Amino acid sequence: MSSLPMLFALSTVDTFVQTFFKAMALGSLYAMLALGFVLIFKATQTVNFAQGAIALTGTWFLSIIFIDWDVPGRWLPGPNYVHWVIALLLAMAATAVFGLIIERLAIRRMIGEPIFSMAVITLGLEVAIRVVASDAVSLTPRILGVPWGIQTFKIGEAVVSWSYISAIVATAIVFLITWRFLKTRTGVAMRATAFDQEAALAQGINVGRIFAIAWAAGAALAAMAGIFSSMSPWAAAGTASREGAFFAFRALPAVIVGGLDSVIGALVGGLLIGFMEIFAGQYLSGYVGVLGVGYQQVVPYVVMLIALLIKPYGLFGTEEVRRV
Amino acid sequence: MKGRPNLYTSYQDETQLFSTRTQKVAIVLFLVVLVLMPFDLPVIDKIPFVRFLGDNTWLRVVNRMLIFCISALGLNILSGVAGQVSLGHGFFMGVGAYTAVLMGGANTSSLWGWGLPMWLWLPAAGAVAAGVGILVAPAAVRVRGLYLAIVTLGLVFIGLHLSRVFTEIAGPGSLGRKWPKLQFRIWKEETPLIDFSDKGHWFWFDISRNQKTYLLLLGLTVLFALAAANIGRTRTGRALAAIRDRDVAAEIMGVPEAKYKTIAFAISSFYAGVAGALLASMVGQMPPEFWDLILSVEFVAILLIGGMGRVSGVLYGTFFVVMSHRLVEEVVKWASRQAEGEGIFAALWDGLISVENGDFGFITLSESALGYPLPASALDEVIYGLLIVVFMLFEPLGLYGIWIKIRNYWKGWPFSY
């Protein structure tokens, strides 16, 4: 235990604050992605494995809209920040349309089919979309034009990136909107569909429309998460990159830990996994020799396996009632 | 009444693997053709497809196919027979491959290896993978459906990380290390008893290394296929099928669910481990990145395209999926020749394929091309992703289902059912 005092010596308050913001930001990204998974799962009873590929498509849309076409900027005067946010919303809308097309072509026909068939369809889509999108994105590095770029600010001695703050704020907004939405008429219809598709149909709920809404929202959320995770302090440093596609798979443990069908679970699970990963990365770095370089990226999966042994359906997930 | 199809006079008749005489004759003929396929023989060469597949370059693809077939048979027991979804099959293949290289590989200053012969490392690869399967089972057995899919997907990422950490076993970074060759030795003697990895002289004939490997793999595949078909007929197989159909009902009937799910995991991992060891040994050198999620998805695709739960479906699926990689390439090559030529459809093909830089078209043959014109290898992945979607949408039973439809059409003719 000789290394333990050394660890405490390293962990000043500043390091802690810095790590805390880093963890909050990563947790927010995971929560955002997890929310996309949960919304689609709630409505269609399936996990959308194509979420990562759709996220990649979203970053590609933003790069085209903002950098290549300069869309709000060519007509609007004013600050760059506003332009970028408008472009972000446009990219999310474009991705939502993309999600709608997928839903209409491949998912709508599968209402009432086995859950696994639908999940496999999304896996097939993942392969196809990712290859096309990553060929377009990562072989010719694209810039997202994030206005705050690599700028940071200081709390005491702790350096915090503006991208972290933006990700946290964006996630807070998204969760607020979702929370309000689930209380509306459509939101209740979505919950009814989640409970039992056939019963919902019998009650006059337009299940197809619910599917469409969930997929559009899920795709938009994926795009947003993909864009924020391609910002500077994260893997790809300001360029839209292939990382986004695999980043989504790292959010799956968050969904499992929180529970596949719980919005609160997505938030809690995302933050929990984010904190585990970043704090393990910061405070266990003395053991890299044993754990190997990049061990923190595996932490989510290990946490997931342990969590499953304790609570098989997640912290907030509905436990399946098994009847014969 | 004798000789009528579907008329069984005893239980034993009904549970036979090949129930009619036609089937028995057909399977023997098929096996004879398979064994003789790679050789230059007068009658066999006349059969369509055989000359083409027996060709030396295609034989490599066929060998790969046989290995994939063994692995897919394993996944079929887990997914098709027991109904458990797994996205971690590639992980178990990796476990098998690294067991093989640890036991059979060369020992150097930076790499571990015990240099043991193949008859030890091949079963060990399966056994260790099965052991890992049993270790994972407690987490996997508790969850079902998509939760299980995500758990097994997590295994792939953990495995990739481990193979990067233990460079003594996996070899340096993106290069990987050399796997033991497919050679049969009694112990560690210099000259192997049978060498499948080099050309030689067997009986009165010259035989190339691909032909030798083909014969070895064919033998193993037949063995594993028979075993897989027989597992479905045993007590275990029936228990697994009961769990697939309704797990709660199975448990009430006295099938211990957790135990049999663990058994299914173990058997499927055994197949995967053996296949992984064979694949790595045939290719010779592999980076850790090979055992990633895409490999696992490929096996799910094989099952879905072929038809789940049937050994013959697995065979169709493997044939289709492994061949599709080369076929797409060949088709693109053919199309680009058409585009340059003078034929009627030259303009159409020219529109699809970009032959040289700046040419219009969305597919290119040059692998170095960046960005928009997709290289043929990427096209292949796109097509196969879309194939999964199309099969799930229109023919959930896969190629096997298509075959059933054709068969029923002829059986019922001139009536529609």
Side-chain angles (χ1 to χ4, degrees), chain A residues 47 106 115-117 119-121 123-124 127 131 135 249 256 260 291 293 295 298 301 305 308-309 312 322-324, chain B residues 85 87 142-144 146-147 151 154 157-158 161 165 246 248 252 257 304 371 374-375 378 381 385 388 392-393:
Chain A
V47 176
I115 298 162
F116 182 54
S117 312
V120 169
I121 283 191
L123 263 179
V127 175
V131 173
D135 212 345
F249 283 120
I256 292 286
L260 258 175
L291 300 169
V293 180
Y295 65 91
V298 191
Y301 298 107
L305 280 181
L308 278 174
L309 288 173
R322 302 168 66 191
R323 292 193 207 89
V324 181
Chain B
V85 184
L87 290 178
R142 294 165 62 92
V143 289
R144 283 177 298 149
L146 292 170
Y147 277 92
V151 172
F157 290 100
I158 294 176
H161 177 70
V165 173
R246 201 83 183 94
V248 185
I252 287 165
E257 194 190 338
L304 290 172
L374 283 177
E381 273 200 70
I388 300 177
M392 286 322 291
L393 284 177

Side-chain angles (χ1 to χ4, degrees), chain A residues 95-158:
Chain A
T95 320
V97 171
F98 183 60
L100 278 179
I101 295 170
I102 294 175
E103 192 273 332
R104 197 71 195 81
L105 288 180
I107 308 294
R108 183 75 61 88
R109 303 157 183 271
M110 301 298 284
I111 295 180
E113 293 277 325
I115 298 162
F116 182 54
S117 312
M118 233 192 283
V120 169
I121 283 191
T122 64
L123 263 179
L125 287 172
E126 198 267 342
V127 175
I129 299 171
R130 180 170 44 77
V131 173
V132 175
S134 74
D135 212 345
V137 168
S138 95
L139 293 178
T140 49
R142 302 196 71 98
I143 306 159
L144 285 177
V146 183
W148 44 85
I150 53 167
Q151 287 164 33
T152 53
F153 67 98
K154 281 192 171 180
I155 301 176
E157 283 300 303

Side-chain angles (χ1 to χ4, degrees), chain B residues 376-389:
Chain B
S377 58
L379 176 74
D380 159 49
E381 273 200 70
V382 173
I383 286 182
Y384 128 91
L386 291 180
L387 265 180
I388 300 177
V389 176

Side-chain angles (χ1 to χ4, degrees), chain B residues 82-334:
Chain B
Q84 306 300 303
V85 184
S86 170
L87 290 178
H89 209 57
F91 164 75
F92 292 109
M93 285 180 81
V95 170
Y98 286 123
T99 310
V101 82
L102 178 63
M103 292 188 69
N107 199 0
T108 65
S109 56
S110 59
L111 297 170
W112 294 346
W114 301 335
L116 296 171
M118 187 169 116
W119 60 269
L120 272 174
W121 60 250
L122 193 57
V128 171
V132 174
I134 291 171
L135 277 183
V136 176
V141 162
R142 294 165 62 92
V143 289
R144 283 177 298 149
L146 292 170
Y147 277 92
L148 180 59
I150 297 173
V151 172
T152 46
L153 182 140
L155 286 180
V156 173
F157 290 100
I158 294 176
L160 277 178
H161 177 70
L162 287 179
S163 63
R164 283 190 210 109
V165 173
F166 294 107
T167 47
E168 291 90 352
I169 297 173
S174 55
L175 275 172
R177 67 182 280 189
K178 281 200 163 52
W179 257 262
K181 286 179 176 156
L182 295 171
Q183 293 167 332
F184 193 83
R185 300 160 202 266
I186 295 176
W187 196 239
K188 296 176 180 177
E189 73 267 23
E190 278 297 307
T191 42
L193 204 63
I194 310 169
D195 191 347
F196 295 101
S197 59
D198 202 6
K199 64 176 186 292
H201 199 74
W202 276 6
F203 300 104
W204 305 275
F205 302 103
D206 286 329
I207 183 165
S208 75
R209 52 179 287 213
N210 284 337
Q211 290 167 341
K212 280 180 176 179
T213 315
Y214 170 77
L215 289 180
L216 170 75
L217 292 176
L218 182 66
L220 284 173
T221 309
V222 170
L223 209 68
F224 276 106
L226 277 179
N230 275 319
I231 284 171
R233 302 198 300 162
T234 58
R235 183 187 176 85
T236 312
R238 291 187 186 278
L240 295 182
I243 289 172
R244 171 193 62 195
D245 291 342
R246 201 83 183 94
D247 49 359
V248 185
E251 206 160 14
I252 287 165
M253 293 194 315
V255 176
E257 194 190 338
K259 181 186 151 195
Y260 277 106
K261 278 184 180 174
T262 312
I263 290 177
F265 257 97
I267 297 174
S268 127
S269 312
F270 184 88
Y271 275 72
V274 171
L278 286 172
L279 184 61
S281 300
M282 193 183 80
V283 174
Q285 190 164 4
M286 268 182 184
E289 279 72 31
F290 182 81
W291 316 102
D292 64 357
L293 186 66
I294 296 165
L295 185 71
S296 304
V297 173
E298 196 147 337
F299 285 105
V300 176
I302 285 175
L303 286 201
L304 290 172
I305 291 175
M308 256 199 199
R310 305 286 308 201
V311 170
S312 48
V314 173
L315 302 185
Y316 304 146
T318 328
F319 187 82
F320 191 88
V321 167
V322 178
M323 284 293 161
S324 75
H325 293 275
R326 270 300 292 273
L327 279 177
V328 168
E329 211 175 292
E330 294 290 320
V331 167
V332 172
K333 267 185 201 159
W334 175 81

Side-chain angles (χ1 to χ4, degrees), chain A residues 264-282:
Chain A
I264 298 296
L267 184 61
V268 175
L271 289 177
L272 192 73
I273 294 288
F275 269 83
M276 289 277 192
E277 183 176 331
I278 294 295
F279 274 81
Q282 178 67 35

Side-chain angles (χ1 to χ4, degrees), chain A residues 2-23:
Chain A
S2 61
S3 55
L4 211 56
M6 197 186 77
L7 267 180
F8 281 115
L10 277 175
S11 62
T12 57
V13 177
D14 292 327
T15 324
F16 180 80
V17 171
Q18 200 169 313
T19 316
F20 177 81
F21 272 99
K22 216 171 152 185

